[in-house]
Amino acid sequence: MSSDASRQEGISSDLFRRIMDRGSNAIYIVDPDTGDILDVNQKSSDMLGWSRNELLEMSVVEIEDHLSERFTWSEYMDEVRDHPSFTINSTHVRKDGTKIPVAVDHDFLSVDGREFVLATVRDREERDDERDDIIKEYSHYRKLFKNSPVGLLELDLSESFSYLSDLYEEHSENFVHFLDENPEVIDRGIDKIELLDVNKKALEILRADDCRDLLDNLETLITAEARNQMKTDILRILEGSTRRQAEYRTRSLDGEDLHLLIDYLISPDLADDLSEVFVALMDISEQKGARRALRQSEERYRTLFEKAKVGMAEGSLDEEWLRVNSRLREILGYTEEEFLEMESCAVITHPDDLHRDRQKAEALTEGEIDHFSVEKRYQKKDGDYLWTRLTSGLVEPDGDRQPYMISTIEDISQEKEYQDRLEESEKKFRQLAEHIREVFWLTDAEKTETIYVSPASEEIWGLSPEDDHDHPDDWMEQIHPEDREEVTRNVVQRQRAGEYDEEYRIVRPDGEVRWIHDRAFPITDDQGNVVRIAGIAEDITERKQLRQQREAFYDVIPDLFVIA
């Protein structure tokens, strides 16, 4: 043999040995005439416990359990030749005497005119375990599929996409346009879809009884809007995408509108023919409805914020303006950009109001109060200060946005002006009321509360104004018993009508009796409702005494003329 031939034989032997030893099953090369073992791989030694050299000294009969009791070796070979593709289940004996069930496949090889038997031996225990594992995995998969909280469909799209692929090849430049022009193509493609399986959740979402119910009612499920959405998904899958997620607006079999999130999952091994495609369904109608309601709510808030008749603003906890509405821009005179460029709202706050504002804001952010309202002054763009009523609350939004304050800012300059004028008017009134001899009094409409009594009451009634406030019924107790019933009746009947004008006697705490002239009139609001009763009482004792003296004088004049 030449050196090249020897080298080639060495390479072949080495390659053969590597292939043998890397096999996952035990491999035996056997002499068909004698049953002697001519060669084995490492798996054979591992399976039976004998070394390779030990096995090469043995025959098949020594490791096959009870083979010699059933067949002679020549009969065994005849059986194998008669059934060349038949797998023989047998039992092999390990070196330690234990037995192992095996499955044996035989092939006859001829090398250089000599015949050999190639026996491939598999451990049936391992094979059974693998089969059991596969069955368990499949069973587990089916259980997961059926009970998944996500709706699942298993589809065979091979025929549908074979049909669509041919059309795609012809119209690949603008396939979506082709589908627009030929809507029947989508319908034909849908008709060729085979529904392999569907889980309980998908049936629940689509309001279907079973697979047949779905297939019979695809026209209801796949609306015109859904068909239009499908065009893009079909194109992506035809272009080789193995996963596609999209939102579909469709309806269930009972006619209810649905918003579905659909996820196409194509097994990479089956991407060429699409014979197994999983479609995951999630009903996001409720979330979409909530988002729509939230969006509408936000739109209403933005409209209310911008169109409000009072100033409104959003501000950070660092006192920065975040957003201002048109009314606030109008009453203070700044543009939105000027507001947002200010270092803080403190820049235009009157210095005398700043400390109190910050105390209130701190109490709000610390959770001590849920809102606050203060009257404060802002400096307008023209430099003047404007009185406003600021009402603020804390907003702690979900998500990433930081807490902020929402405030209404109302122009109360006219109210303040009116209040100043009212205070000035009240000051003048008190100066007048407190320097006249008559008693000015004011009560509520029901006569249950004394609102005001001028200081002259102390001189006439002998009671201080504070006593009248604390004990509003004491003045009635001071009315002379002979006059009290009539006065009480007239107070009820005439004061609200503006017809009250009475003269009566009172008994002061020191026992002195004095005559009072008391008049009253109602005070009404804009609607004519009586809201107050006002009155003026004066001491007419001296006038009464002079009248009585005059009447007494006139009574004696006739007697004087008689005497004369």
Short mmCIF file of all heavy atoms in Angstrom, two decimals, residues 314-322 342-347 354 358 361 365 394 402-405:
data_model
loop_
_atom_site.label_atom_id
_atom_site.label_comp_id
_atom_site.label_asym_id
_atom_site.label_seq_id
_atom_site.Cartn_x
_atom_site.Cartn_y
_atom_site.Cartn_z
N GLU A 314 -51.62 77.05 37.56
CA GLU A 314 -50.94 75.89 38.14
C GLU A 314 -49.54 76.34 38.52
O GLU A 314 -48.88 77.03 37.73
CB GLU A 314 -50.87 74.74 37.14
CG GLU A 314 -52.22 74.13 36.80
CD GLU A 314 -52.11 73.01 35.78
OE1 GLU A 314 -50.95 72.67 35.40
OE2 GLU A 314 -53.16 72.49 35.36
N GLY A 315 -49.12 75.97 39.72
CA GLY A 315 -47.80 76.39 40.19
C GLY A 315 -47.06 75.26 40.85
O GLY A 315 -47.66 74.37 41.46
N SER A 316 -45.73 75.26 40.72
CA SER A 316 -44.91 74.23 41.36
C SER A 316 -44.79 74.51 42.85
O SER A 316 -45.12 75.61 43.33
CB SER A 316 -43.53 74.20 40.71
OG SER A 316 -42.78 75.34 41.11
N LEU A 317 -44.30 73.51 43.57
CA LEU A 317 -44.09 73.71 45.01
C LEU A 317 -42.92 74.65 45.26
O LEU A 317 -42.71 75.07 46.41
CB LEU A 317 -43.85 72.35 45.69
CG LEU A 317 -44.97 71.32 45.52
CD1 LEU A 317 -44.71 70.11 46.42
CD2 LEU A 317 -46.34 71.91 45.82
N ASP A 318 -42.16 74.99 44.21
CA ASP A 318 -41.07 75.97 44.32
C ASP A 318 -41.53 77.37 43.94
O ASP A 318 -40.70 78.24 43.67
CB ASP A 318 -39.90 75.55 43.41
CG ASP A 318 -39.28 74.24 43.84
OD1 ASP A 318 -39.28 73.96 45.06
OD2 ASP A 318 -38.81 73.49 42.97
N GLU A 319 -42.85 77.56 43.89
CA GLU A 319 -43.48 78.85 43.64
C GLU A 319 -43.33 79.33 42.20
O GLU A 319 -43.50 80.51 41.90
CB GLU A 319 -42.93 79.94 44.59
CG GLU A 319 -43.14 79.63 46.06
CD GLU A 319 -42.60 80.75 46.96
OE1 GLU A 319 -41.81 81.57 46.47
OE2 GLU A 319 -42.99 80.79 48.14
N GLU A 320 -43.05 78.41 41.26
CA GLU A 320 -42.95 78.80 39.86
C GLU A 320 -44.32 78.69 39.19
O GLU A 320 -45.10 77.79 39.48
CB GLU A 320 -41.95 77.91 39.12
CG GLU A 320 -40.52 78.06 39.59
CD GLU A 320 -39.59 77.12 38.84
OE1 GLU A 320 -40.10 76.18 38.19
OE2 GLU A 320 -38.37 77.32 38.89
N TRP A 321 -44.58 79.65 38.28
CA TRP A 321 -45.78 79.55 37.46
C TRP A 321 -45.59 78.43 36.44
O TRP A 321 -44.59 78.39 35.73
CB TRP A 321 -46.05 80.86 36.71
CG TRP A 321 -46.27 82.07 37.57
CD1 TRP A 321 -45.37 83.05 37.84
CD2 TRP A 321 -47.47 82.44 38.26
NE1 TRP A 321 -45.93 84.02 38.65
CE2 TRP A 321 -47.22 83.66 38.92
CE3 TRP A 321 -48.73 81.85 38.38
CZ2 TRP A 321 -48.18 84.31 39.69
CZ3 TRP A 321 -49.69 82.50 39.14
CH2 TRP A 321 -49.42 83.71 39.79
N LEU A 322 -46.54 77.50 36.36
CA LEU A 322 -46.47 76.44 35.35
C LEU A 322 -47.46 76.67 34.22
O LEU A 322 -47.19 76.31 33.07
CB LEU A 322 -46.78 75.08 36.00
CG LEU A 322 -45.84 74.65 37.14
CD1 LEU A 322 -46.31 73.33 37.72
CD2 LEU A 322 -44.40 74.53 36.64
N MET A 342 -40.88 84.30 35.00
CA MET A 342 -40.64 84.82 36.36
C MET A 342 -39.94 83.77 37.21
O MET A 342 -40.20 82.57 37.09
CB MET A 342 -41.96 85.21 37.01
CG MET A 342 -42.66 86.39 36.37
SD MET A 342 -44.23 86.76 37.23
CE MET A 342 -44.94 87.96 36.12
N GLU A 343 -39.04 84.22 38.09
CA GLU A 343 -38.35 83.28 38.97
C GLU A 343 -39.33 82.57 39.88
O GLU A 343 -39.18 81.39 40.19
CB GLU A 343 -37.31 84.02 39.81
CG GLU A 343 -36.14 84.56 38.99
CD GLU A 343 -35.11 85.23 39.87
OE1 GLU A 343 -35.28 85.21 41.11
OE2 GLU A 343 -34.15 85.78 39.33
N SER A 344 -40.35 83.30 40.36
CA SER A 344 -41.40 82.71 41.19
C SER A 344 -42.55 83.69 41.27
O SER A 344 -42.44 84.85 40.88
CB SER A 344 -40.87 82.40 42.60
OG SER A 344 -40.73 83.59 43.35
N CYS A 345 -43.68 83.19 41.81
CA CYS A 345 -44.82 84.08 41.95
C CYS A 345 -44.57 85.13 43.03
O CYS A 345 -45.27 86.15 43.09
CB CYS A 345 -46.08 83.27 42.28
SG CYS A 345 -45.95 82.31 43.81
N ALA A 346 -43.55 84.91 43.88
CA ALA A 346 -43.23 85.88 44.92
C ALA A 346 -42.76 87.21 44.33
O ALA A 346 -42.85 88.25 44.99
CB ALA A 346 -42.15 85.31 45.84
N VAL A 347 -42.29 87.17 43.10
CA VAL A 347 -41.78 88.38 42.45
C VAL A 347 -42.85 89.46 42.37
O VAL A 347 -42.56 90.65 42.49
CB VAL A 347 -41.24 88.04 41.04
CG1 VAL A 347 -40.89 89.30 40.27
CG2 VAL A 347 -40.03 87.12 41.15
N LEU A 354 -46.35 88.17 51.69
CA LEU A 354 -45.52 87.03 51.30
C LEU A 354 -45.37 86.01 52.42
O LEU A 354 -45.51 84.79 52.19
CB LEU A 354 -44.15 87.53 50.83
CG LEU A 354 -43.25 86.51 50.14
CD1 LEU A 354 -43.96 85.89 48.94
CD2 LEU A 354 -41.95 87.17 49.70
N ARG A 358 -46.65 81.96 52.33
CA ARG A 358 -45.74 80.81 52.44
C ARG A 358 -46.11 79.92 53.62
O ARG A 358 -45.95 78.69 53.55
CB ARG A 358 -44.30 81.31 52.56
CG ARG A 358 -43.77 81.82 51.22
CD ARG A 358 -42.40 82.43 51.30
NE ARG A 358 -41.87 82.71 49.96
CZ ARG A 358 -40.81 83.46 49.73
NH1 ARG A 358 -40.17 84.05 50.74
NH2 ARG A 358 -40.39 83.66 48.48
N ALA A 361 -48.99 77.85 52.32
CA ALA A 361 -48.53 76.86 51.34
C ALA A 361 -47.80 75.71 52.03
O ALA A 361 -47.95 74.55 51.65
CB ALA A 361 -47.63 77.53 50.31
N THR A 365 -48.77 71.69 51.85
CA THR A 365 -47.88 70.61 51.39
C THR A 365 -47.57 69.61 52.50
O THR A 365 -47.28 68.46 52.22
CB THR A 365 -46.57 71.20 50.84
OG1 THR A 365 -45.95 72.02 51.86
CG2 THR A 365 -46.83 72.05 49.61
N LEU A 394 -53.76 71.35 46.68
CA LEU A 394 -52.61 70.56 46.22
C LEU A 394 -53.11 69.42 45.34
O LEU A 394 -54.07 68.72 45.68
CB LEU A 394 -51.85 70.00 47.43
CG LEU A 394 -50.57 69.20 47.12
CD1 LEU A 394 -49.52 70.11 46.51
CD2 LEU A 394 -50.03 68.56 48.40
N GLN A 402 -44.76 65.70 39.02
CA GLN A 402 -44.58 66.10 40.41
C GLN A 402 -45.85 66.79 40.93
O GLN A 402 -46.62 67.36 40.17
CB GLN A 402 -43.40 67.07 40.53
CG GLN A 402 -42.06 66.46 40.17
CD GLN A 402 -41.69 65.33 41.10
OE1 GLN A 402 -41.80 65.44 42.32
NE2 GLN A 402 -41.26 64.21 40.52
N PRO A 403 -46.09 66.72 42.27
CA PRO A 403 -47.23 67.44 42.84
C PRO A 403 -47.16 68.93 42.50
O PRO A 403 -46.07 69.50 42.38
CB PRO A 403 -47.07 67.20 44.35
CG PRO A 403 -46.27 65.95 44.46
CD PRO A 403 -45.34 65.96 43.29
N TYR A 404 -48.32 69.54 42.35
CA TYR A 404 -48.36 70.96 42.02
C TYR A 404 -49.61 71.57 42.66
O TYR A 404 -50.49 70.85 43.17
CB TYR A 404 -48.37 71.19 40.51
CG TYR A 404 -49.57 70.62 39.79
CD1 TYR A 404 -50.70 71.41 39.53
CD2 TYR A 404 -49.59 69.28 39.37
CE1 TYR A 404 -51.80 70.89 38.88
CE2 TYR A 404 -50.69 68.76 38.72
CZ TYR A 404 -51.78 69.56 38.47
OH TYR A 404 -52.86 69.04 37.83
N MET A 405 -49.67 72.89 42.65
CA MET A 405 -50.82 73.60 43.22
C MET A 405 -51.71 74.12 42.10
O MET A 405 -51.23 74.61 41.08
CB MET A 405 -50.36 74.77 44.08
CG MET A 405 -49.74 74.36 45.39
SD MET A 405 -49.47 75.80 46.45
CE MET A 405 -48.61 75.02 47.83
#
